[in-house]
């Protein structure tokens, strides 16, 4: 009789195959952070949908497969690219012409057409978190607007500028 870990290490199912690739990166030493970071992204230009669910579900499957194979802690981040520009006015809002002046502005600079949140980006981020919570996903939510605005990306941006 094999253990669950033994079965995971030989499984041909794609989440286990992908998890083994991640595990291979840490065969000599655990990550400096003390955990393996899994990340999925979301562009809040519209409401969450089955594709959004699929992104988080697939990443979660690989994360869970990894957890069966390893004792290294894991973390899942759901990253919202809410600084992305609004490329078109959504069709599901009342008074859509009122949003036309905000085309190409970051989604967190576009007024919330539903009047419930600080911006259109904030509205859709709230909908995303509610959607993910409905399915009991375990994740940490990160907003690009918050990370850029707080300076949390500054060191990486400086490094990129130096190397460019």
């Amino acid at each position: 009789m094999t253990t669950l870990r033994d079965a995971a290490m030989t499984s041909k199912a794609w989440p286990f195959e992908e998890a083994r690739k991640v595990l291979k990166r840490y065969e000599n030493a655990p990550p400096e952070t003390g955990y393996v970071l899994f990340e999925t992204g979301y562009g809040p230009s519209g409401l969450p949908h089955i594709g959004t669910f699929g992104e988080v579900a697939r990443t979660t499957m690989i994360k869970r497969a990894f957890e069966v194979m390893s004792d290294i802690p894991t973390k899942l981040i759901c990253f919202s690219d809410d600084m992305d520009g609004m490329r078109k006015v959504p069709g599901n809002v009342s008074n859509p012409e009122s949003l036309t002046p905000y085309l190409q502005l970051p989604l967190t600079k576009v007024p919330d057409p539903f009047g419930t949140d600080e911006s259109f980006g904030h509205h859709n981020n709230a909908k995303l978190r509610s959607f993910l919570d409905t399915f009991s996903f375990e994740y940490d939510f990160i907003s690009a607007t918050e990370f850029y605005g707080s300076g949390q990306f500054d060191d990486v941006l400086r490094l990129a500028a130096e190397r460019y």
Side-chain angles (χ1 to χ4, degrees), residues 22-40:
V22 175
L23 184 60
K24 187 168 178 56
R25 295 181 198 169
Y26 302 106
E27 62 189 358
N28 296 326
E32 290 179 21
T33 59
Y35 59 87
V36 173
L37 179 64
F38 291 84
E39 183 178 333
T40 186

Side-chain angles (χ1 to χ4, degrees), residues 4 8 18 22 25 28 32 39 48 50 60 62 92 97 100 104 111 125 127 134 141 150 155 160 162:
L4 182 58
E18 294 303 314
V22 175
R25 295 181 198 169
N28 296 326
E32 290 179 21
E39 183 178 333
I50 191 66
T60 298
I62 298 166
N92 65 340
E97 59 280 351
T100 303
Q104 304 310 319
N125 284 342
K127 292 292 186 188
T134 299
F141 181 81
S150 69
D155 290 342
E162 287 171 11

Side-chain angles (χ1 to χ4, degrees), residues 9 11 55 125-126 130 135 137 145 147 157:
M9 295 304 283
S11 174
E55 281 292 317
N125 284 342
S130 175
F135 297 99
F137 284 110
T145 298
F147 264 53
L157 292 170

Side-chain angles (χ1 to χ4, degrees), residues 1-11 16 68:
M1 190 106 182
T2 63
T3 66
L4 182 58
R5 185 167 283 183
D6 292 336
M9 295 304 283
T10 59
S11 174
F16 292 96
V68 170

Side-chain angles (χ1 to χ4, degrees), residues 1 12 20 29-30 62 69 94 98 110 123-124 129 154:
M1 190 106 182
K12 300 293 184 199
R20 280 192 296 275
I62 298 166
M69 296 177 187
S94 59
S98 68
V110 175
H123 175 83
N124 287 339
R129 290 191 303 273
D154 287 0

Side-chain angles (χ1 to χ4, degrees), residues 54-103:
E55 281 292 317
V56 180
R58 286 187 297 272
T59 307
T60 298
M61 285 188 246
I62 298 166
K63 177 182 175 287
R64 295 237 170 106
F66 181 88
E67 291 167 348
V68 170
M69 296 177 187
S70 173
D71 295 323
I72 301 171
T74 64
K75 184 176 181 177
L76 173 64
I77 288 176
C78 183
F79 185 88
S80 173
D81 189 11
D82 53 22
M83 288 190 72
D84 194 17
M86 186 173 71
R87 291 183 285 278
K88 66 179 184 173
V89 175
N92 65 340
V93 298
S94 59
N95 198 11
E97 59 280 351
S98 68
L99 294 182
T100 303
Y102 300 97
L103 287 172

